[in-house]
Every structure is written in C-alpha cells, then in structure tokens.
Amino acid sequence: MVQLYWECRAWPAGMAGFVLKRSESGASEWAPLHDGPIMPAIDQVESFRNRGLSEEMEASLRHDFMGWLQEGNVQEISVLTMREIFNESGGPGAGDRIAMKSDFRVALLSGFGFTDNTAQPGTSYDYALYAAYTDGTTSTQPLAMFRLGDPQPLDPEYTFSAGRVRITLDFEIPHTEIIMSSILGFLIERSNTDGSATHILASDPMGYSSITEGVCFYRIVDYDIDPSRDYLYTLTPVNMFQQRGDPIVLRYVAARYKPLSPPVIDEVSLVDDEHMDLTWRVAPEDSLLLSHFVLELLRSPGKEVPPVVVDTIVPSARQYTDTTPKGYGEMYFYRLRSLGMYGQEVGSDLKAFYYLGLSTPPPVTGLTGELMLEDEKPFVKLRWDPKVDGDTLTARFAIYTDILIPDSFLHVSHLPRFLDNTYKFPIPSHGGRTYQFRVAGMSRLGRAGTPAEVSVDVGTLYLPRVLQVSSKRLSPSGLLIQWEYPAFQDLIGFRLMMNDREIAGVDHIKGDMRSYVVEEELLAKEPNPSFQLTAVGSVAISDPGLRHTIHLPAHQIDLFPSPASLVFELLESSSGMAVQLCWEPPFGKEESVTGYALFADYNTPGRLQRINTVPVIRATEYIYTLPVAERDEVNLGIAAITKEGTTGQIARVSIPIKNNNKEIINNDKP
C-alpha cells in the first residue's frame, strides 16, 4: 500500500478536482487509479469516493469522521461549496495544508490524498497528478510527479556562514526536483574532514523552511562549534516512503568563512556645500573576502528608529559621497557594514556628525589667545579679526574648545550669540597642559565656516606643598637634603630656605631634582638649621613646605683645612681667556690629600659650586679656560679631597676680567 498526499497552492478557474495516474518506473503507459475525478469536499458521500479506500479503511475513516462532526472539529462542506471557496481564496490556506500534512486522514477526507492498495512490494512506480476541469477535460501536463523508488541524485546550491561559536548552512533545491523524488526531508550530520567525530544534526528528515518562486530553501544552524576548523556536512535525502537517496557531502572551508574585522570610518566631511563625503579602511586580510559594503544612515544611535540604507558599495571602494537629503543642523550617524562573499557580516562603530550643508560664512582670521589673571582667577583672552563690511553670511561667532576633553572640540553652547571679536574664557581646571580653541563664523541657519585655531599653554595653576623631606649628613663635606614631589610638566624648580633665608633657588635646584647638598660653610654657621622647600612653576608657586630641623653636634663642624697660598695668572689662548692656578697642600695634612676639586661661581655670583666637568686634580696647579661671562670678576676655588673621600674647606680667589676688550690682568706668582 502506498499513501499519496499533494499540496495545492493554486486553484485555477474552472478546476473541479484531480486525476491520479500510475506507471511502472521507466514505462510510458499511464493508467488512472480511480474511476472519476477526486472532488475536494467534506461530506458523508464525496469524501469517501475515489480515495482508494478498502472496506476496512473506509469504515475506520468514517468512524473518525463522524466523531469529528459530533465534537465540532469539522463541518460538512459540499463539492460545490468547496469549489466556490477555492475559487475565491485560490486553494487551501496554510493552516489547512499544515493539518493535512500532520494527519493523512484529513488529507483523504478533504480530497488531497489517495491510498494505492494495488501497489506491489518491490516494484517502483511513477505517479502523475492531473487537474480535472468542470467541462470534463483533464490537463495535458501533470501538476506534480511522484516516484516510488530510490530518490534521484540532487545537486543543491549552498552557502555557509560563520559566527563566533556557530556555523550556518543554507541550501536550496528546485521544488520540481523535490516533488519528482517525493523528498520528505534530509538527514544531516557533521564530521571532521577525515570522516571522524560524526555528530548528528538532524536525526529526523528536516523539511524546507520556505518556498519562493519554485525554489525550496533549507537552513541548519550548528551551535557550540569551532568555526576556525574545516568540516564535512552530509545531507541524506529521505522520501515519503522512507527511502534514502545518495548522500550529498558539502565541505566547510574555514578560511573562506573567517569572520571579518569591523570597518573603521576615518572621516566624514562636507563636500560641494551640500553632500557628505566618507572615507574608511578595512583590515588588509579582509580585502579578498569582501563581497560589498552597505552604508546606513541613522537619526538615533538606538534601535527605536530603523536605519536608512544609503547604498550598496563595491568592495574595492574606500570612499563614498552621500547625497541623501538631510535636515540642516541635525545630528546623524553613519554605520558601514562589511559583507563577505561567504555570508560574513560585520558593522562599524557609529560615526556622528552635524549636517550644516548651507552657504558657508568666510573663514575667521587673526585668532590669538593669551593667558591672563584677573582677581587671581586664570582665563584665556581670545581675540580675532572683526567681521568685515559686506559680510552678510556671518550672523554670529561660535567658540569650540577641548578644555573638558583633551583633543575633543566641544561647542560652548552656553555662550550668547555675539558678534564681538573678543572673549574671556575661564579656565575651570588646574591647568598644566595646552588648551586648544577654535572660533568659526556661523550663518543664520547654523552652518559654520572654516574655523581659526589657536593653542594656549596654560601652566599648572596650583602646586601642592613639599611635605616629605629627609636629610643625610655627608660629614664633613655637607648635608644631603632629599624630598618627594610629583612631576609637573611646567615645574621650573625649587627654592630652599635655611632658617627663613634662601640659600638655593631654581637656578640651582631644577624641576627634575629631588635632592640638594648644602655646603659645609653654611652649616658651620648654623648648628641647628631648619629647612623649607617651595615649588616654583611657570605660573604657580606653592606655599612653603613643612620645616625640617636637624641638630649638628659641634665636633662635626670641624672641617679639613683648605689649600694654602692660592695664586693665579691670566693667560691668552686660542679659545679665549684662561687662568693658571697654583697652590700648596694644606699645612701638616699633605699625607691625607689624594687630590683637589675646582669650584666657580658662574651660575650665581658669590656662590661657589663644584665644576663637575673637571676631574680630580692630582697636581698643585691647573690651567682652566674661562667661559665668557658678562661680569667684572669671577670667583674660583680649590678644595682638598681626602683619602676618605671627603672634601675640605675651599680656598678662593677673585679674578678681575673685562670681557668687552678682553683686557688681561695678571698678578704675580709668589
């Protein structure tokens, strides 16, 4: 016995029913399987005529039918009434087709099913379904063909697409091939490329998800899988007689379906005073996988307003000019979607812009910025060239700044509309960086002209006190003062106070220094010194830091004696003025001396500091080239260095010089 069911998706005018014929496979002789046409109806007479029912089958079906009538699940419809319904609706509805597919008894009763009790086991048959018309004729071509036997080979068109942890297989087959082979669906399994690790995806025949223009579309989604590996997908067709056809093996090649990287919109700019120009870039490795781009225009970053598809763009493009009409002064968002040749798809981040496609005011010129203090409050005074006579486009000026977010210009919306060419902009933060400002002319309808830009370096407006100070005795060569302080870009240096008297300034203690050696000469006069540090920036000066007081025992003040009999002689040299110094070792300490150090007061007149570029002098004389100094005299000094590494007291000498005429003044050697 063979049960046949067919779908009816159209009901031509004049159609009355169906005629079903059968032929052995390969033979050309077709014979009707029933005496008269199969008339669609639901009643106690027509619903049991020409359905191929045996007596037992008819009795069972009639029993079910009477029960459905009593329960109200069906209602009787005559042949003529059913025909009128189909003439108006074009055939059974989707719900009716689903009910007939789900229950073959409903298909038999309705006139869309037949039971072939004469089919012989082991014999293959072809079935043809024809249309029967009200004038007694039959269609010359069959509406559908059924084949009882092995399903014919199929060659579907297919595509793969990959997600993060999934692979989607879409394939399609012409509906005529599905009907000819009576395909009920496909068994689907996945395996590795060597056939191992088989995983069943569809253990029951999977039918098509939709049918459009004579093509059946199928989709299977394989979840929890690594899409970076290659796989084999096997489709086995199964017909309505539970016979299996030849398996169809589809290869998933991971390299083809690699997820694309999101494209990046680099710039959105106005061109032709009306249109928007976009440029973008993609990952180089994606170039060969791209199918096309889709550009979308959005009014809102959310999902409440659907995007407008501007255009489909070829994969080689990296620039596009959008001519879509837009509202003046309105904010829009662009999103660019990359689509791959194998179903990949990824979108860019949203790119926001204001549309100001109107007549452009002339550029602003002459913009300057100056940092000023007023009532101890800092502000930047902006000034630019005023509006020129004849300028009818500039209705006002707009100011943009990156004070709130570095390198992100924001319109200062709280400013009133004004045509002045100056503005005082308050600095709301502690400064310490370069602020940028833009001033642009604005038309009456809100379009900005080319802005002028200026950068203003604003130093740190507040410096904290120096709170952490420590000291270390370098007896008998001095006292090491150390402190901690954060780094500021415009920190010039520090001032060091000893007992409320400045002993070192920013010329001696630079901004990157966190230690300083107080000379033994100063400590000799102050047995209990108290130190304070003050930070000095380009704009701000901190309050004096915490006091650091130490006690120096009297025996630590005794110093190693200075060299004796220090004399000098000025010499002429090719590089300028030089001086020869001569001295004698400290009296009675000759055995303790390992060398000598040279000192000068070039940086601060009257303050001797060691010249570190001069190595330890092993002799008792030295020739030194004097740097040019706009002074009448220069002080030099020599101190002994002991074998213990300490530095003794300094013997000093004043050298009178005249730089303008390079007059050389000598003194006599002893």
Side-chain angles (χ1 to χ4, degrees), residues 13 24 31 48 63 188 223 302-303 321 335 351 421 466 475 490 499 540 597 627:
E24 290 190 12
F48 300 93
H63 177 269
I188 303 176
Y223 290 102
K303 297 181 179 180
T321 300
R335 178 169 55 211
K351 187 76 170 182
N421 65 320
V466 181
S475 177
D490 62 331
N499 293 345

Side-chain angles (χ1 to χ4, degrees), residues 151-152 154 177-179 181-186 218 237-240:
Q152 296 300 305
L154 300 173
E177 297 184 18
I178 298 296
I179 293 298
S181 297
S182 304
I183 298 299
L184 182 64
F186 293 86
Y218 299 80
V238 179
N239 65 12
M240 64 176 57

Side-chain angles (χ1 to χ4, degrees), residues 258-450:
K258 180 183 75 68
L260 300 174
S261 299
V264 178
I265 301 177
D266 288 323
E267 185 178 4
V268 176
S269 58
L270 187 69
V271 295
D272 303 329
D273 283 341
E274 184 178 359
H275 307 313
M276 302 305 297
D277 188 79
L278 293 87
T279 58
W280 63 89
R281 52 191 162 89
V282 299
E285 61 270 18
D286 291 346
S287 299
L288 298 179
L289 298 175
L290 288 172
S291 169
H292 59 279
F293 298 103
V294 174
L295 181 63
E296 296 177 338
L297 181 67
L298 301 90
R299 287 302 310 275
S300 169
K303 297 181 179 180
E304 60 272 11
V305 180
V308 175
V309 176
V310 176
D311 201 355
T312 299
I313 307 171
V314 296
S316 59
R318 297 297 181 269
Q319 178 273 338
Y320 182 81
T321 300
D322 177 21
T323 60
T324 305
K326 304 173 185 65
Y328 298 123
E330 298 290 341
M331 174 176 275
Y332 293 87
F333 300 85
Y334 278 126
R335 178 169 55 211
L336 186 69
R337 291 192 289 118
S338 295
L339 283 83
M341 292 187 294
Y342 302 102
Q344 308 98 311
E345 181 176 345
V346 66
S348 70
D349 292 335
L350 295 180
K351 187 76 170 182
F353 69 95
Y354 283 100
Y355 180 71
L356 301 173
L358 299 171
S359 298
T360 307
V364 172
T365 58
L367 178 62
T368 61
E370 180 183 4
L371 179 63
M372 305 182 71
L373 291 175
E374 189 174 276
D375 297 332
E376 298 184 353
K377 294 182 180 179
F379 63 89
V380 172
K381 185 174 183 180
L382 300 174
R383 185 187 299 273
W384 59 94
D385 294 338
K387 176 181 175 180
V388 299
D389 295 338
D391 178 6
T392 60
L393 296 176
T394 303
R396 57 187 174 92
F397 292 102
I399 296 180
Y400 306 82
T401 180
D402 71 341
I403 279 184
L404 296 180
I405 305 176
D407 298 323
S408 296
F409 286 91
L410 301 177
H411 179 236
V412 185
S413 58
H414 67 273
L415 289 179
R417 299 185 177 186
F418 62 96
L419 279 172
D420 294 337
N421 65 320
T422 60
Y423 186 77
K424 293 181 179 180
F425 201 99
I427 304 298
S429 64
H430 288 164
R433 69 177 180 89
T434 298
Y435 295 109
Q436 301 179 80
F437 299 89
R438 288 177 182 172
V439 178
M442 300 289 291
S443 68
R444 289 179 176 81
L445 294 179
R447 180 171 184 185
T450 302

Side-chain angles (χ1 to χ4, degrees), residues 517-661:
V517 176
V518 180
E519 299 171 2
E520 196 68 37
E521 291 183 2
L522 297 174
L523 297 175
K525 304 174 183 179
E526 302 287 349
N528 297 301
S530 177
F531 297 95
Q532 280 183 295
L533 283 159
T534 300
V536 179
S538 61
V539 177
I541 300 176
S542 74
D543 293 334
L546 294 180
R547 288 185 180 274
H548 177 71
T549 303
I550 62 174
H551 175 70
L552 300 177
H555 69 275
Q556 291 189 4
I557 302 177
D558 296 333
L559 301 177
F560 194 82
S562 62
S565 304
L566 175 63
V567 295
F568 72 93
E569 180 180 359
L570 291 175
L571 307 173
E572 291 186 8
S573 69
S574 59
S575 58
M577 184 176 292
V579 61
Q580 181 175 5
L581 299 173
C582 298
W583 62 91
E584 295 180 359
F587 181 75
K589 299 289 186 179
E590 294 87 344
E591 298 299 327
S592 300
V593 176
T594 187
Y596 299 90
L598 179 63
F599 294 80
D601 69 345
Y602 291 120
N603 292 331
T604 305
R607 288 282 308 279
L608 290 177
Q609 291 182 303
R610 182 171 179 177
I611 302 175
N612 293 322
T613 57
V614 176
V616 175
I617 304 169
R618 303 299 180 183
T620 56
E621 63 178 61
Y622 189 76
I623 297 176
Y624 181 66
T625 301
L626 296 171
V628 176
E630 297 296 332
R631 293 163 54 182
D632 292 334
E633 66 177 12
V634 173
N635 295 308
L636 297 179
I638 294 292
I641 299 178
T642 68
K643 293 180 179 180
E644 289 78 16
T646 61
T647 302
Q649 298 188 63
I650 302 172
R652 66 176 67 197
V653 64
S654 296
I655 302 174
I657 58 174
K658 294 183 179 179
N659 287 322
N660 294 335
N661 53 19

Side-chain angles (χ1 to χ4, degrees), residues 36 104 111 143 155 310 364 376 637 667:
F104 183 67
L143 300 177
D155 185 19
V310 176
V364 172
E376 298 184 353
N667 72 332

